[in-house]
Amino acid sequence: MLIYRGLSRISRISTKTPFGRRWLPSHPLLSGASHSAAAAAAAEADSSVKVLGCREAYSWSLPALHGIRHQIHHQSSSVIEDTDSQEQLDPFSLVADELSILAKRLRSMVVAEVPKLASAAEYFFKMGVEGKRFRPTVLLLMATALNLRVPEPLHDGVEDALATELRTRQQCIAEITEMIHVASLLHDDVLDDADTRRGIGSLNFVMGNKLAVLAGDFLLSRACVALASLKNTEVVTLLATVVEHLVTGETMQMTTSSDQRCSMDYYMQKTYYKTASLISNSCKAIALLAGQTAEVAILAFDYGKNLGLAYQLIDDVLDFTGTSASLGKGSLSDIRHGIITAPILFAMEEFPQLRTVVEQGFEDSSNVDIALEYLGKSRGIQRTRELAVKHANLAAAAIDSLPENNDEDVRKSRRALLDLTQRVVTRNK
């Protein structure tokens, strides 16, 4: 765990913007540039409203599972640690207005000339099926938690314009992240032959595999256009690496050897590529755009990485203990597709004979029953939750290690980020 207690304290002076109190980044305009240059940049920020440029400023259930579910509910209180005795904040309500702006802008960004492609691309951006919007919430909170105030005073109006410009660029990261995420869901559903997603029919089930693949490709192309508009090569590299990781992780899942399939290390590496890389690198991009130090950018990355791992580990638990209605997709979907996740891997450590069942595969439903029986007798579910809590605590430690700051909005956002680490491991859907 990286802890940077010795970092210098950030200035407590802040500025009001249309998005509340904001902190400004290091910026070429702020180090020796003339007032006229700064004003020109502010005017450019205000006049830039291109949507594509991202610059607009405005159960399947078995009897054996009942015992497992009872075990989980009984043990949850002993696993989850209460790390914040302060007033609890609703992280989603803090950024609710911006989330609405992002949702509208995303629907505009995925408009296509061909009606059928437009319908497919906007399928999971329509009102009511946008999902939990977890990633944009994390990124907007991280933006407030990390933004810096420029040390020297600027002329009236320029400071607010630069703060607004920064916030718009950070919103763009949230939009890009959501488009990459949804594109990966569309492609995953085709590969997994899924028929439901977010409580409705999956796109491949409704419109066919070909259109689902094309819609995912289209979203990635729109994300690339928006990414290029930021004109920041380091940020472009980070998000391009995410796409590479998504492909690598999916390939790892499809082409495992017997030993790899039963390896926890292999599983965690694959999980990072498929789930945690997106949120960790996006958090780091938020820090870089804010002009933060390399040390703070690493802390932002560590928060996203560990939060993403904790999120997926709980997803793995819910695949066994949740219902299709609560998950918005079929429960037990992983094991029925032959995907071995943490609960089964931990159960295998207690009952080595389970490996024989895993190697036989789960095309035969009786093998699913046998695996669930072993899982019910093991601590597989409990140990997966404990591992999720460990990563959630590491994420919280990254936030606690950020340079001290007494600004009210910054402190609220950091508390909200801490609250998310608990919400991730206590959720049931």
Side-chain angles (χ1 to χ4, degrees):
M1 177 176 67
L2 296 173
I3 299 180
Y4 298 91
R5 296 290 185 188
L7 294 177
S8 59
R9 194 169 294 183
I10 299 177
S11 168
R12 292 185 288 113
I13 303 173
S14 61
T15 182
K16 286 289 186 179
T17 78
F19 307 106
R21 198 183 304 270
R22 297 293 169 238
W23 300 74
L24 300 178
S26 302
H27 194 287
L29 295 175
L30 309 180
S31 54
S34 67
H35 165 53
S36 59
E44 179 186 354
D46 290 338
S47 63
S48 180
V49 296
K50 294 293 184 182
V51 171
L52 288 182
C54 204
R55 314 254 303 178
E56 188 177 3
Y58 26 158
S59 159
W60 187 82
S61 181
L62 293 173
L65 289 183
H66 294 303
I68 296 175
R69 291 194 181 99
H70 175 74
Q71 173 189 352
I72 291 307
H73 293 307
H74 176 71
Q75 292 174 343
S76 290
S77 60
S78 65
V79 174
I80 307 305
E81 300 178 14
D82 184 10
T83 58
D84 187 8
S85 59
Q86 301 184 45
E87 175 189 358
Q88 294 295 306
L89 299 171
D90 178 9
F92 299 92
S93 67
L94 284 181
V95 293
D97 291 341
E98 278 186 277
L99 286 175
S100 296
I101 293 172
L102 262 63
K104 292 177 182 177
R105 200 146 61 205
L106 280 166
R107 285 193 286 272
S108 299
M109 293 170 74
V110 299
V111 171
E113 295 180 15
V114 180
K116 201 73 173 178
L117 179 59
S119 298
E122 70 177 8
Y123 192 71
F124 285 122
F125 292 109
K126 293 182 293 187
M127 293 185 65
V129 291
E130 305 105 319
K132 296 179 283 288
R133 296 188 289 188
F134 175 77
R135 289 159 190 82
T137 296
V138 170
L139 296 174
L140 293 174
L141 290 172
M142 185 65 74
T144 303
L146 295 184
N147 285 350
L148 292 168
R149 163 94 165 93
V150 291
E152 63 267 31
L154 294 174
H155 293 273
D156 292 342
V158 176
E159 201 167 328
D160 285 351
L162 288 171
T164 300
E165 165 68 1
L166 169 62
R167 192 66 178 192
T168 302
R169 288 164 64 81
Q170 291 174 320
Q171 287 174 349
C172 186
I173 295 295
E175 293 158 6
I176 292 166
T177 299
E178 192 67 1
M179 283 191 285
I180 293 174
H181 172 60
V182 172
S184 72
L185 297 183
L186 297 180
H187 288 164
D188 282 355
D189 284 347
V190 171
L191 293 170
D192 297 340
D193 197 26
D195 55 13
T196 58
R197 170 73 69 177
R198 293 181 177 174
I200 61 174
S202 61
L203 183 61
N204 56 297
F205 181 77
V206 173
M207 296 187 178
N209 285 343
K210 290 182 180 180
L211 201 54
V213 171
L214 291 172
D217 292 345
F218 178 74
L219 291 179
L220 288 175
S221 70
R222 285 297 167 94
C224 288
V225 172
L227 187 57
S229 75
L230 294 175
K231 297 181 173 62
N232 185 310
T233 55
E234 193 169 1
V235 169
V236 170
T237 299
L238 284 175
L239 274 299
T241 300
V242 166
V243 177
E244 177 189 344
H245 285 171
L246 288 169
V247 175
T248 300
E250 192 61 45
T251 305
M252 288 174 69
Q253 184 167 285
M254 293 170 56
T255 60
T256 54
S257 67
S258 177
D259 287 342
Q260 290 170 337
R261 202 175 182 209
C262 298
S263 165
M264 180 60 77
D265 289 340
Y266 188 86
Y267 159 82
M268 292 299 291
Q269 184 65 52
K270 179 202 72 176
T271 299
Y272 169 72
Y273 284 151
K274 281 177 61 68
T275 303
S277 174
L278 177 58
I279 190 65
S280 60
N281 283 292
S282 295
C283 283
K284 186 176 181 180
I286 290 288
L288 293 176
L289 288 180
Q292 281 286 0
T293 63
E295 291 84 357
V296 171
I298 290 172
L299 289 172
F301 176 91
D302 285 346
Y303 175 83
K305 173 185 176 180
N306 286 292
L307 189 73
L309 291 173
Y311 191 98
Q312 184 57 50
L313 287 163
I314 295 301
D315 254 12
D316 293 344
V317 167
L318 293 176
D319 193 54
F320 289 102
T321 64
T323 64
S324 296
S326 67
L327 299 177
K329 60 181 181 179
S331 58
L332 295 177
S333 60
D334 284 337
I335 193 169
R336 286 190 289 169
H337 285 94
I339 299 171
I340 306 304
T341 56
I344 295 294
L345 291 172
F346 281 129
M348 208 181 305
E349 291 181 8
E350 294 181 56
F351 299 98
Q353 58 268 42
L354 177 55
R355 176 163 182 162
T356 302
V357 179
V358 169
E359 290 177 346
Q360 289 174 356
F362 296 100
E363 290 80 6
D364 184 347
S365 61
S366 64
N367 279 351
V368 176
D369 296 351
I370 295 170
L372 292 175
E373 185 177 348
Y374 278 118
L375 180 61
K377 293 188 295 184
S378 75
R379 294 185 66 251
I381 294 290
Q382 173 74 355
R383 290 181 67 189
T384 301
R385 282 192 177 274
E386 290 170 351
L387 183 58
V389 170
K390 174 185 174 182
H391 283 287
N393 288 340
L394 288 172
I399 297 300
D400 287 338
S401 300
L402 290 171
E404 293 183 19
N405 193 298
N406 292 322
D407 178 81
E408 180 184 357
D409 290 333
V410 170
R411 291 171 68 87
K412 276 186 178 180
S413 292
R414 291 183 181 183
R415 289 209 310 273
L417 290 170
L418 291 174
D419 181 78
L420 282 174
T421 65
Q422 290 199 46
R423 288 175 181 250
V424 159
V425 293
T426 56
R427 66 193 177 94
N428 56 17
K429 61 181 181 179

